Amino acid sequence: MHLPASIACATIGGFLAHRGTGVLSTKYGKIEDMVMSLEVVTPTGEIIHTLPVPRHASGPDLTMLFLGSEGTLGVITEVTLKVHPQPESRQFRAYIFPDFHTAMQAGASLMRSRLGPCAMRLYDETETKTHVSKVFGIDLDKGAYLVFGFDGRKDIVNLQMKHAREIMEGQFHGKDLGAKGGEWWWENKYKFFYPGYMFHVPQAFGTLDTVADFAHIEKVYWAMKNVVNKEFPDARFIGHFSHWYEWGCMLYARFIFPGDKVPPDPRDAAALYNAVWDKAIRAAIANGGVINEHHGVGLKLGRYVKDLYGTAMPVLEGIKKQLDPNGIMNPGKLGFAGI
Ligand SMILES: Cc1cc2nc3c(=O)[nH]c(=O)nc-3n(C[C@H](O)[C@H](O)[C@H](O)COP(=O)(O)OP(=O)(O)OC[C@H]3O[C@@H](n4cnc5c(N)ncnc54)[C@H](O)[C@@H]3O)c2cc1C
């Protein structure tokens, strides 16, 4: 049930090393929720195994230590994963709300109800009007598109859907696009990433993946959007919210420069590109956002990790030094510069 949009090109090692997320994560969890145990070769050459079950009271969780370590603490050579049964039924439904704030309230209520959707996605007004309309080939001119689904035993799915509709329609007065409006999304969900729908050279774009609790997620959205709009008027800012939890969700924000607004000199283009990242990510962190939910840190975002962790950063650095005393594993990644 781990179905990231990169399913056709990424490896299980890659999923584990940066704590990847699939499209059904809202029910089945991120990849780290599907792991039982790991075999890891440490930087000093020992082969170690983490405890065979993921829930125990036998000290801190070593399995979690290696998940998300992006190859800086060891090489994962084996994993035992949970396998989920294929559901008998999977149903989707979509709504249009007048604005994304109302849709966010509806989505948060659905998560807090513990009805347990398998997926949910909310597109801001701009992305609804441009991308969602284009991918589905229908005119969604006004409002924010929210889609969700349930899967499992058919009679239970019917009941979950009935109660979810009461939240969407009874409490938040969403305009019902019906089951068809939700199935459009499920059938076309990967289209957004492929030619014809994806941005391309000479356009320049970045995906500002951020996660926050419900108390902060809208502030993060507005802080990023406002700083991009104000400081870089040539860029467009769009966002959708995917991978929902009972406490918050992920913001998949993007800035896009049209091709004719990208400086022709690659050094100027790179400087502009990095300036947008800097402003937007610092705005997200200052407003309670965490960078990030599933794309990982790598080399590019390493310079923000100290700001993110604050006084906990030396703890992380200490673990790196202890496990990799010679600094041979992915030097510079995860903000471990010079370690
Ligand atoms: C179009 C597109 C859509 C995407 N959609 C998603 C999505 O829906 N969800 C998502 O989570 N990501 C998504 N991604 C991001 C990306 O594909 C994932 O991050 C992917 O899991 C990376 O896997 P990989 O095999 O390519 O890893 P790589 O890029 O090769 O490696 C990633 C990092 O992991 C380390 N690593 C790899 N294998 C191991 C190992 N065995 N042990 C230790 N370290 C290791 C590498 O050293 C590197 O630091 C998307 C990317 C693209 C281009």
Side-chain angles (χ1 to χ4, degrees), residues 2-6 9-15 17-23 69-72 74-77 193-194 198 243 252 294-295 330 333:
H2 186 65
L3 297 171
S6 53
C9 56
T11 62
I12 290 181
F15 297 155
H18 73 102
R19 296 165 75 107
T21 308
V23 77
S69 66
E70 298 189 9
T72 61
V75 178
I76 300 165
T77 44
F193 298 94
Y194 288 92
M198 190 60 178
H243 314 299
Y252 195 109
H294 69 250
H295 286 98
N330 276 353
K333 280 203 176 174

Side-chain angles (χ1 to χ4, degrees), residues 6-53:
S6 53
I7 189 82
C9 56
T11 62
I12 290 181
F15 297 155
L16 298 168
H18 73 102
R19 296 165 75 107
T21 308
V23 77
L24 295 174
S25 67
T26 302
K27 175 173 177 180
Y28 297 96
K30 286 162 60 63
I31 193 73
E32 64 265 28
D33 302 306
M34 302 185 192
V35 173
M36 294 294 288
S37 64
L38 299 174
E39 178 188 88
V40 179
V41 179
T42 68
T44 46
E46 290 84 19
I47 299 172
I48 63 163
H49 295 90
T50 63
L51 295 181
V53 292

Side-chain angles (χ1 to χ4, degrees), residues 6 8 36 50 59 96 126 162 174 178 244 275 289 309:
S6 53
M36 294 294 288
T50 63
I96 290 282
T126 319
K162 176 177 169 288
W244 293 61
Y309 275 82

